[in-house]
Amino acid sequence: MKIVLIGSGNLATHLAIALNASGNEIAQIFSRTLENAKSLAEKTGARYTDDVEQIDCNADLYIFSVKDDTLPEILKRMPKTKGIWVHTAGSVPINVFVPYTDNYGIIYPLQTFSKNKTVNFADILVFIEGSNTETIHSLETLAKSISKNISYLSSEKRQYLHLAAVFVCNFTNHLYTLSAEILEKEDIPFDVLKPLIMETATKVMELSPKAAQTGPAVRFDETVMSKHIDLLTDGDMKYIYKILSESIYKHMLAIVD
Amino acid sequence: MKIVLIGSGNLATHLAIALNASGNEIAQIFSRTLENAKSLAEKTGARYTDDVEQIDCNADLYIFSVKDDTLPEILKRMPKTKGIWVHTAGSVPINVFVPYTDNYGIIYPLQTFSKNKTVNFADILVFIEGSNTETIHSLETLAKSISKNISYLSSEKRQYLHLAAVFVCNFTNHLYTLSAEILEKEDIPFDVLKPLIMETATKVMELSPKAAQTGPAVRFDETVMSKHIDLLTDGDMKYIYKILSESIYKHMLAIVD
């Protein structure tokens, strides 16, 4: 497939590299920041531009991988093209494309992407959606060229999947950040937490998260919890500690009932 | 070493099994619940009791692995014994033993333990502390028999390590629970999140948590965040979403500054 990629962020970067490696042709990369477009184009042998009017109109597929807030604006400025239009966002419904084209859809890879961390795209779950049978078939073929795990998912369901992903990925990673701060003040290297982080993730590959829950909040060990809140010097962190502990305890009561 | 174990919870269970497998003698297990003492005793060839007065007074080591709140009460009721007294708690200072004996310390394995999930004790970081050189040496020898990673850590530092562990393990696991609830309502299997959970953990083995952060909050994508808060029906979860997103954003501003 001949592909034009609109966007050059973390997801766009990993997707472009995976598509290129699987024999698809990344013909062109558009980014509002020319330097970013150029940098990604160099990795994939693509042309690049920061001018919407220079976008190649003869590709088979246009992938919009931009911040949700900027997608509507870019769609408005797009020239008329042939080919399918898709986006990669968790929380934008498929009907965003209705005013512009008949052949459109979604390619939603459920993963966290940072530019300086490689991922094995083949293991990533990719969720697709399309405006008609032919489009769905094309997107399925494309998705299968980069991943072994393809599922169809409606826009309605996809937004809940994205929401759940924010909890297990973005919020979880922020808890890692907060714990790194706690240790940094005490000159304890973050490395000591790594086996615990891996085991916490690994446990829920086998057990349900509820069955895997441990710690002072589930035992309602008030002595430990109030000591911990005293140790925290940052008001926000005290607050986060309290409401997560309360939530853990409420959920555990629900199990016992 | 001849060991008496006081407690039969998750940590006591895994520790007893690891100690037994490494050639130490678990002579006796005490638990207030006789059934629990018996069950763990059967796994380790130990005697068992629920009567403090029946505790064997001739062991080399007494390991107190009980809820923090109940430790002081059990210590008070203990008979006079020979041997070292240690506990396994993250947040209880070493001086809890001062009124009772001269040879005491801590064995603190930094891990999450559930009875129905095996762990490889050899990979667990074990932190020790002791009241005198001879005791420290004995605890070090014992710890080395079950783990390859032994460090000395003061009570002062240990409480911060425990606090950080609550964030990366207990709170993280609760985020997994909340996400499982979001998906359950939509009939989406929790399994779809597993690759994302593993990648989120794996990323911070290489990158710092701050460098690994992704998602709507770090981009301050207000459209996505307000959609997500609308999708959540539970008031507590809306609240958790808001304060974690705000905290992510604040930390990212701190990086840019």
Side-chain angles (χ1 to χ4, degrees):
Chain A
M1 260 188 165
K2 181 180 166 183
I3 300 169
V4 170
L5 182 63
I6 294 98
S8 59
N10 292 340
L11 172 51
T13 299
H14 285 280
L15 191 56
I17 291 166
L19 287 168
N20 187 52
S22 66
N24 293 285
E25 180 201 350
I26 310 290
Q28 190 183 35
I29 290 162
F30 166 87
S31 169
R32 289 182 301 179
T33 314
L34 192 67
E35 204 47 51
N36 293 349
K38 185 182 173 193
S39 163
L40 184 51
E42 280 166 359
K43 288 180 187 136
T44 53
R47 286 170 289 127
Y48 60 94
T49 182
D50 63 352
D51 179 357
V52 178
E53 295 190 6
Q54 296 300 313
I55 285 177
D56 182 335
C57 296
N58 292 302
D60 303 307
L61 181 70
Y62 295 79
I63 303 178
F64 297 84
S65 186
V66 297
K67 204 173 141 175
D68 292 16
D69 287 348
T70 58
L71 181 61
E73 175 215 335
I74 285 190
L75 291 181
K76 259 186 226 161
R77 292 168 55 217
M78 278 289 289
K80 201 149 181 68
T81 72
K82 72 181 206 70
I84 303 168
W85 288 17
V86 300
H87 73 68
T88 59
S91 295
V92 178
I94 191 171
N95 62 19
V96 70
F97 292 117
V98 169
Y100 308 105
T101 171
D102 294 329
N103 301 313
Y104 53 87
I106 316 293
I107 298 177
Y108 178 56
L110 184 65
Q111 195 49 280
T112 167
F113 299 100
S114 294
K115 280 186 183 166
N116 43 356
K117 166 73 172 71
T118 56
V119 291
N120 186 2
F121 226 100
D123 295 331
I124 294 174
L125 275 64
V126 178
F127 295 90
I128 59 168
E129 188 179 5
S131 58
N132 55 55
T133 314
E134 205 184 331
T135 299
I136 293 168
H137 184 74
S138 296
L139 296 181
E140 203 180 321
T141 305
L142 182 84
K144 279 186 180 163
S145 75
I146 53 172
S147 166
K148 8 183 238 273
N149 300 298
I150 314 300
S151 299
Y152 191 86
L153 193 74
S154 69
S155 289
E156 172 66 17
K157 299 272 184 197
R158 179 165 32 82
Q159 62 185 343
Y160 286 99
L161 183 55
H162 186 211
L163 174 60
V166 167
F167 276 81
V168 298
C169 172
N170 308 148
F171 290 168
T172 289
N173 187 77
H174 186 57
L175 295 177
Y176 300 160
T177 299
L178 297 180
S179 65
E181 279 180 18
I182 293 166
L183 294 188
E184 200 178 0
K185 279 188 192 163
E186 298 298 316
D187 287 322
I188 302 172
F190 181 70
D191 281 1
V192 300
L193 292 178
K194 289 180 175 177
L196 181 59
I197 287 171
M198 285 312 296
E199 175 66 11
T200 303
T202 305
K203 265 175 106 173
V204 295
M205 302 299 115
E206 288 181 32
L207 303 178
S208 75
K210 276 190 184 173
Q213 188 66 53
T214 57
V218 67
R219 297 191 303 265
F220 204 65
D221 195 329
E222 290 184 277
T223 313
V224 173
M225 290 189 284
S226 69
K227 261 188 214 173
H228 279 171
I229 291 166
D230 287 344
L231 290 178
L232 291 165
T233 50
D234 177 82
D236 289 346
M237 283 174 75
K238 280 180 194 282
Y239 211 57
I240 290 170
Y241 189 100
K242 274 184 210 170
I243 65 155
L244 288 176
S245 292
E246 280 166 16
S247 183
I248 289 171
Y249 189 61
K250 275 189 201 171
H251 278 79
M252 287 299 144
L253 285 180
I255 291 179
V256 176
D257 285 350
Chain B
M1 260 189 165
K2 181 180 167 183
I3 300 168
V4 170
L5 182 63
I6 294 99
S8 59
N10 292 340
L11 171 52
T13 299
H14 284 280
L15 190 57
I17 291 167
L19 286 167
N20 187 52
S22 67
N24 294 284
E25 181 200 351
I26 310 289
Q28 191 184 35
I29 290 161
F30 165 87
S31 170
R32 289 183 300 179
T33 314
L34 192 66
E35 204 46 51
N36 293 349
K38 187 182 172 193
S39 163
L40 183 52
E42 280 166 0
K43 288 181 187 136
T44 52
R47 286 170 289 124
Y48 61 93
T49 182
D50 63 352
D51 180 356
V52 178
E53 296 190 6
Q54 296 300 314
I55 285 177
D56 182 335
C57 297
N58 292 301
D60 303 307
L61 181 69
Y62 295 80
I63 303 178
F64 297 84
S65 185
V66 298
K67 204 173 140 173
D68 292 16
D69 286 350
T70 59
L71 180 62
E73 175 214 336
I74 285 189
L75 291 180
K76 259 185 226 161
R77 292 168 55 217
M78 279 289 288
K80 199 147 181 68
T81 72
K82 71 180 205 71
I84 302 167
W85 289 17
V86 300
H87 72 68
T88 58
S91 296
V92 178
I94 191 171
N95 62 19
V96 70
F97 293 117
V98 169
Y100 308 105
T101 172
D102 294 330
N103 301 313
Y104 52 88
I106 316 292
I107 298 178
Y108 177 57
L110 184 65
Q111 195 48 281
T112 167
F113 298 101
S114 294
K115 279 185 185 166
N116 43 357
K117 166 72 173 69
T118 56
V119 290
N120 185 5
F121 226 101
D123 295 330
I124 294 174
L125 275 64
V126 178
F127 295 89
I128 59 168
E129 189 179 5
S131 59
N132 54 56
T133 315
E134 205 184 330
T135 299
I136 293 168
H137 184 74
S138 296
L139 297 181
E140 202 180 321
T141 305
L142 182 83
K144 279 186 180 163
S145 75
I146 53 171
S147 166
K148 6 182 239 274
N149 300 298
I150 315 299
S151 299
Y152 191 86
L153 193 74
S154 70
S155 289
E156 171 67 15
K157 298 272 184 198
R158 180 165 31 82
Q159 61 185 342
Y160 286 98
L161 184 55
H162 186 211
L163 174 60
V166 167
F167 277 81
V168 298
C169 172
N170 308 149
F171 290 168
T172 288
N173 187 76
H174 186 56
L175 296 177
Y176 300 161
T177 299
L178 298 181
S179 64
E181 280 180 18
I182 294 166
L183 293 187
E184 201 178 359
K185 280 188 192 163
E186 299 298 315
D187 287 322
I188 302 172
F190 181 70
D191 281 0
V192 301
L193 292 178
K194 289 181 176 177
L196 181 59
I197 287 171
M198 286 311 297
E199 175 66 12
T200 303
T202 305
K203 265 176 105 172
V204 295
M205 301 299 115
E206 288 181 33
L207 303 179
S208 75
K210 276 190 185 172
Q213 188 67 53
T214 57
V218 66
R219 297 190 303 265
F220 204 65
D221 195 329
E222 290 184 277
T223 313
V224 173
M225 290 190 284
S226 69
K227 262 187 212 171
H228 280 172
I229 291 165
D230 287 345
L231 290 177
L232 291 166
T233 50
D234 177 83
D236 289 347
M237 283 174 74
K238 280 180 195 280
Y239 211 56
I240 290 169
Y241 189 100
K242 274 183 211 170
I243 65 154
L244 288 176
S245 293
E246 281 165 16
S247 183
I248 289 171
Y249 189 62
K250 275 189 203 171
H251 279 77
M252 287 300 142
L253 286 180
I255 292 178
V256 176
D257 285 352

